[in-house]
Amino acid sequence: MSWDCGLRYMFSVSPSLQQGGKCILHDKEDLSRLEMVQRLAKDGCRFLQNHSKAPERTSEPRSDEAVRLCLRERGHDVLVLQRVSSRQPALSASSARGGGGREEARSRRYVVVSGTPEKILEHLLSDLTLDEEQGTTQGKESDTLVDDFLLTYPVFMSTSDLCQALLGHYCTKRHRGKEDRKEALERKQKLLHLVSQWMSLCKDFLREDEHVKLFMKTLYRYVLDDLYEHPALEKDVGELQKLYQLHRRHTVDEYSPQRKSKALFHQLSLKENGLQSRSTQRETKEVLCQVYITMDSYLSMRVHAGVVAQELVQAVAERMDVPDGELVLVAVAYPGGRLLLQPQDRVFSSSLRSVGRLHICRKDLGEVLNPFTDNSELQQRTARMLSLNTWDVAVALTDFDLTIFDSMHEQELVYFTFNRHVTSNHTTALELLLQRCNEVQLWVMTEVLLCPTLCKRVQLIKKFIKIAAHCKAQRNLNCFFAIIMGLNAAAVSRLAQTWEKIPGKFKKLFSELETVTDPSLNHKAYRDSFKKMKAPKIPFLPLLLKDITFIHEGNKTFHDNLVNFEKLHMIAEMARLIRQCQKDPMGNGITQKSSSEVRAYVDYLHIIDNQQTLFELSHRLEPRA
C-alpha cells in the first residue's frame, strides 16, 4: 500500500489529489495524525498491503466499517484500528455555510479493534480529550474507550506492567525529535487525566497494591519536578493529592532543589499513614458466615469481618436457646480434620476467607440439635415467621442485599469471569450476593418443609408470595428470583395438597410473578421489566454472569497475539450495568427501615442445604401416592 493511500485512510484527502497537489490539514487532530505517520516511518513501521482487488472508484464514500488501519512493527502486527464517525447532534452554522468538511474531519476518529497492550494504551492516550473537550460527543466516546481499558486491563496485563507503562509515557517524549512545551504539557496532562480516572474507578482494589503505592510516589515526584516548567500542572497535583489523600503544606515557590526531597518525604509519609489508617476498614466490613449446627443445616449469619469464635458461639447459643458454656466452635479444614477454635481466634483471614467449614458442637463434639425432630420447636418456628410483617421482611432482605451490592465494584465481574478457578480477593461482594441468592432460595424451602401442619404451610406459602411481590416492588430482583425459585423447587412444588389450598388470587399473583422469571426468549420478560425500573436496583446476578460468560466463551481474548479489544468493550459494557444500577441521581432509594426483630430474623437464617434431606422432609409431609 502506498503512503498516499495510507494518508487517505487517516485524513480527508480527495481521491483526485495528484502528485504535487496540496492537502489542507484543518486542525490539530490532523497534525497529530501526520506526526504519528512520520514517527512510524522513522521507526520502520509500514501500512499493511491490502491484497484484495481494489474496488472501482465511485462517487459514494466507503463506509466506516470497511476502513481499517493496521500498524506493523518489525514484521508483526501491533495495532488494528477502525474508523468510526462520532454522531454529532447537529451541524453548526459554519458547517451549514460550507464548513462541513472540517466538521466531518472532526467527527471521524479511530477506535481500537485489537493490538498489543502498549500500543492500545498509546492510542488511547493520544485520543484522550482534556477538560474543555469532555462535554463533546467525541470526548464522551474517548472517555468510554478509556473506561473499557481501565475495567478490563487485568485480562491482558498486570497492574505492575500498567504502572511501568504509564511512567514511561509520562517521562519519555512521544516523538523522536523536538517536542515544544505545549505538546509536552498536553501529553503529561492527558496521562494524569487517565491516572485520575483509573484511581477514581479502581482505588478500592488498588488500595493495598504495593506497585500502585510506589507508582503514585514516583509519579507525584515527577509532577512536582515539572511544576517549574509547567505551572498549569498545579491543578493536576491537587487532583493527585485528593485521590490518594496527600497533603502538601508548601507553595510552588518553595520547591527549590535543596528542599524538594525533604518536602517529598514529608508528604509521602503522610500518604502511607493514611493508607495504614484505612486498613482498619477491612475489619468493619460485613460478611456472611455459615455456622453448621448439624451435618446438613446451618445458620447464615451477618457478622463483621473481624469476628472471633466466642462472638459466634454466643450468637448461635442465643438463637438455638442453648447455654453458650456448653458449646464450642470447630473448623473443618479438610475431610476428617478438625480444629478447635479458641474463644479469641479470628474466624476470617485477611482475605475474608473462613478458616474452614465452621461447626457448632457440644463440648463432647456432638451435634447441637436435629432441626426437624422436635415438633414443639417447629410449631414455635412457624409461628414466629407468620407473625412477621411481609413488607418489613422484604425491606430487611433488600437492605441486606443493597448493603453488599453498593460495596460491589463492576470490575469484580471481570475478575470473576476470567479468574473463576483462581481464589481472588477482588470478588468478595459478588460472591456474597451469589451466596445470599442461593441461601434465600434454600431458606424458603426450609421454612415450608419444616412446617408440620397443612393450614400453617398454606399461610407460609401465601406469605412468601407476598414477600416476593414486595421485593420486586423494591427493585430487588436478586432476592425476588431466589424466593420464586424456592417456591418452584421440586421438593416444594410437589406438595399438591398444599398448593390446592392456596386461594385463587394468590395463585394468580404467583403466576404473574413467575412470568417475570420465564427463561424463554433469553429471559425477555425479565429484561423488559428490569429495564423499566429506576435506579437504584439490584439485578439478578446469575443471569448477568451468564451473559458475560457467553461473551467470554464465544469470543477469543487474543487474535494472533493481539488483545481482542472489541471483546473487552462488550465485557466492559456489561460490567458498567452494575454502576448504572447503583446510581441514585433522583433519590429513588427505599428509605424505610424494618423493625429490629425482623432484621434479627433475616440476619440469622436457619437453612438446610442438603437436597436429599429436603426431599425426605417433603415426602414426610405428603407421602408419594
Side-chain angles (χ1 to χ4, degrees):
M1 175 183 267
S2 61
W3 276 102
D4 62 293
C5 290
L7 289 172
R8 285 176 196 147
Y9 274 178
M10 301 184 70
F11 309 103
S12 301
V13 181
S14 172
S16 61
L17 186 64
Q18 301 296 325
Q19 184 175 2
K22 293 182 179 179
C23 171
I24 299 176
L25 303 180
H26 296 287
D27 49 28
K28 63 182 181 180
E29 283 83 1
D30 287 337
L31 290 173
S32 65
R33 293 186 184 116
L34 180 60
E35 290 169 344
M36 185 177 77
V37 171
Q38 293 171 341
R39 181 172 61 83
L40 291 172
K42 292 178 182 179
D43 290 346
C45 300
R46 66 183 180 86
F47 288 94
L48 284 183
Q49 177 73 34
N50 185 358
H51 296 289
S52 61
K53 184 178 179 181
E56 295 182 3
R57 290 182 178 177
T58 63
S59 59
E60 294 294 328
R62 294 181 64 186
S63 64
D64 287 333
E65 289 75 10
V67 180
R68 284 199 174 188
L69 182 67
C70 185
L71 303 181
R72 173 171 286 192
E73 286 184 357
R74 299 177 182 85
H76 298 284
D77 297 344
V78 294
L79 187 65
V80 179
L81 304 175
Q82 178 170 309
R83 191 174 73 186
V84 297
S85 295
S86 299
R87 298 188 179 274
Q88 303 292 342
L91 288 175
S92 63
S94 61
S95 64
R97 292 192 298 267
R102 181 171 182 173
E103 292 296 323
E104 181 182 2
R106 283 184 175 180
S107 67
R108 290 181 179 175
R109 50 196 297 271
Y110 286 83
V111 297
V112 178
V113 175
S114 60
T116 62
E118 295 77 12
K119 290 299 179 182
I120 292 175
L121 178 60
E122 181 180 339
H123 174 78
L124 292 178
L125 284 170
S126 66
D127 199 44
L128 195 62
T129 56
L130 297 176
D131 293 345
E132 62 272 12
E133 299 173 332
Q134 286 177 16
T136 64
T137 303
Q138 182 171 338
K140 293 177 181 177
E141 292 173 349
S142 175
D143 282 346
T144 299
L145 292 175
V146 171
D147 197 55
D148 293 342
F149 178 86
L150 296 177
L151 281 175
T152 59
Y153 80 87
V155 174
F156 53 86
M157 69 190 306
S158 66
T159 300
S160 174
D161 291 339
L162 178 58
C163 291
Q164 292 299 322
L166 291 173
L167 286 177
H169 279 287
Y170 185 87
C171 300
T172 306
K173 292 185 178 180
R174 184 192 301 175
H175 310 296
R176 292 194 178 185
K178 292 185 177 180
E179 182 183 39
D180 60 33
R181 290 183 60 185
K182 184 177 180 181
E183 291 174 336
L185 176 61
E186 184 178 1
R187 170 171 56 83
K188 295 175 186 293
Q189 286 179 326
K190 283 185 175 182
L191 186 133
L192 291 173
H193 176 75
L194 186 142
V195 171
S196 174
Q197 197 168 339
W198 183 33
M199 291 295 114
S200 298
L201 181 67
C202 306
K203 59 185 177 182
D204 290 336
F205 281 172
L206 304 175
R207 181 176 295 158
E208 305 298 330
D209 195 307
E210 294 298 329
H211 298 293
V212 176
K213 292 180 183 179
L214 180 60
F215 165 72
M216 292 301 295
K217 289 180 183 180
T218 307
L219 181 64
Y220 190 65
R221 186 182 73 237
Y222 288 165
V223 178
L224 290 180
D225 291 343
D226 288 338
L227 280 179
Y228 292 109
E229 187 176 0
H230 304 291
L233 291 176
E234 177 68 27
K235 179 181 178 181
D236 299 285
V237 171
E239 186 67 22
L240 286 176
Q241 293 171 342
K242 179 181 177 182
L243 284 172
Y244 234 66
Q245 294 192 355
L246 296 167
H247 301 283
R248 183 160 61 104
R249 296 182 179 178
H250 308 281
T251 63
V252 177
D253 296 334
E254 289 177 318
Y255 278 101
S256 62
Q258 291 77 18
R259 299 190 61 181
K260 201 173 297 179
S261 60
K262 182 178 179 181
L264 176 67
F265 174 80
H266 171 66
Q267 292 161 43
L268 296 182
S269 297
L270 285 176
K271 182 190 74 171
E272 290 174 342
N273 290 337
L275 289 175
Q276 290 169 3
S277 64
R278 288 199 302 266
S279 65
T280 57
Q281 294 178 2
R282 181 183 299 273
E283 296 184 1
T284 61
K285 185 177 292 186
E286 291 186 331
V287 296
L288 285 177
C289 180
Q290 297 178 346
V291 181
Y292 280 81
I293 56 177
T294 69
M295 293 305 295
D296 53 14
S297 70
Y298 63 85
L299 279 177
S300 176
M301 307 170 64
R302 183 180 184 178
V303 297
H304 61 91
V307 67
V308 296
Q310 185 177 4
E311 294 176 298
L312 283 184
V313 169
Q314 291 174 347
V316 173
E318 182 179 355
R319 179 66 186 234
M320 295 289 100
D321 195 21
V322 178
D324 59 351
E326 299 179 5
L327 304 178
V328 293
L329 186 63
V330 175
V332 180
Y334 55 90
R338 289 188 173 191
L339 173 65
L340 181 62
L341 297 180
Q342 300 302 316
Q344 297 305 316
D345 286 349
R346 293 279 294 268
V347 175
F348 292 93
S349 63
S350 58
S351 61
L352 302 183
R353 304 287 174 179
S354 174
V355 294
R357 175 166 159 158
L358 302 174
H359 287 258
I360 280 285
C361 305
R362 297 190 185 275
K363 289 191 175 179
D364 58 359
L365 298 186
E367 292 181 342
V368 176
L369 55 86
N370 193 323
F372 44 85
T373 55
D374 190 343
N375 194 58
S376 61
E377 183 188 342
L378 295 183
Q379 295 283 1
Q380 183 179 359
R381 175 194 183 102
T382 302
R384 184 182 181 190
M385 176 62 194
L386 292 175
S387 68
L388 300 178
N389 180 274
T390 55
W391 179 262
D392 285 347
V393 173
V395 169
L397 290 170
T398 300
D399 180 65
F400 189 107
D401 289 358
L402 200 58
T403 300
I404 304 174
F405 184 68
D406 284 342
S407 68
M408 178 181 167
H409 194 281
E410 57 262 43
Q411 209 172 25
E412 293 192 33
L413 294 171
V414 178
Y415 279 99
F416 188 87
T417 302
F418 288 88
N419 301 302
R420 185 167 301 176
H421 305 296
V422 180
T423 300
S424 173
N425 299 334
H426 295 326
T427 59
T428 304
L430 175 58
E431 290 179 11
L432 283 177
L433 280 172
L434 293 174
Q435 176 186 335
R436 183 65 173 178
C437 181
N438 185 55
E439 287 182 350
V440 170
Q441 178 183 351
L442 291 172
W443 166 63
V444 171
M445 298 172 64
T446 301
E447 292 293 339
V448 172
L449 296 175
L450 287 182
C451 184
T453 59
L454 178 60
C455 60
K456 294 288 182 64
R457 202 157 53 245
V458 170
Q459 295 179 38
L460 207 53
I461 290 179
K462 288 166 53 180
K463 209 168 191 67
F464 279 123
I465 293 174
K466 292 176 66 176
I467 293 173
H470 293 328
C471 285
K472 180 175 178 289
Q474 296 169 17
R475 306 185 293 279
N476 182 2
L477 277 299
N478 202 51
C479 197
F480 163 75
F481 263 82
I483 296 173
I484 297 299
M485 290 189 299
L487 293 175
N488 275 329
V492 177
S493 61
R494 65 167 296 277
L495 301 175
Q497 298 175 22
T498 304
W499 285 98
E500 286 176 0
K501 299 291 184 180
I502 302 294
K505 71 172 186 178
F506 281 92
K507 286 183 179 179
K508 181 181 178 181
L509 174 60
F510 184 64
S511 179
E512 293 173 355
L513 298 177
E514 276 187 308
T515 303
V516 180
T517 65
D518 182 9
S520 61
L521 299 176
N522 195 18
H523 290 271
K524 183 179 185 302
Y526 160 74
R527 296 181 194 276
D528 291 345
S529 178
F530 188 73
K531 192 174 182 180
K532 296 176 183 177
M533 293 181 178
K534 299 177 182 179
K537 52 188 177 181
I538 305 176
F540 180 48
L541 288 172
L543 182 58
L544 182 59
L545 289 174
K546 173 192 170 185
D547 292 341
I548 293 184
T549 302
F550 183 81
I551 296 173
H552 175 45
E553 299 294 341
N555 300 272
K556 292 182 178 180
T557 306
F558 296 93
H559 284 311
D560 299 326
N561 295 323
L562 298 182
V563 178
N564 182 4
F565 201 70
E566 288 182 311
K567 169 184 175 176
L568 299 184
H569 171 69
M570 292 188 288
I571 295 286
E573 281 291 320
M574 299 299 299
R576 270 191 289 271
L577 179 63
I578 298 296
R579 190 187 309 169
Q580 296 164 7
C581 292
Q582 291 172 336
K583 289 181 179 178
D584 187 13
M586 305 300 294
N588 296 317
I590 297 175
T591 57
Q592 288 181 283
K593 295 293 183 181
S594 56
S595 66
S596 57
E597 179 187 4
V598 174
R599 289 198 303 271
Y601 185 86
V602 170
D603 287 352
Y604 296 89
L605 297 181
H606 188 181
I607 295 165
I608 299 176
D609 65 346
N610 187 296
Q611 292 295 326
Q612 182 178 352
T613 303
L614 291 170
F615 267 102
E616 290 176 357
L617 289 171
S618 177
H619 286 289
R620 189 176 302 177
L621 294 174
E622 295 187 17
R624 185 178 302 170

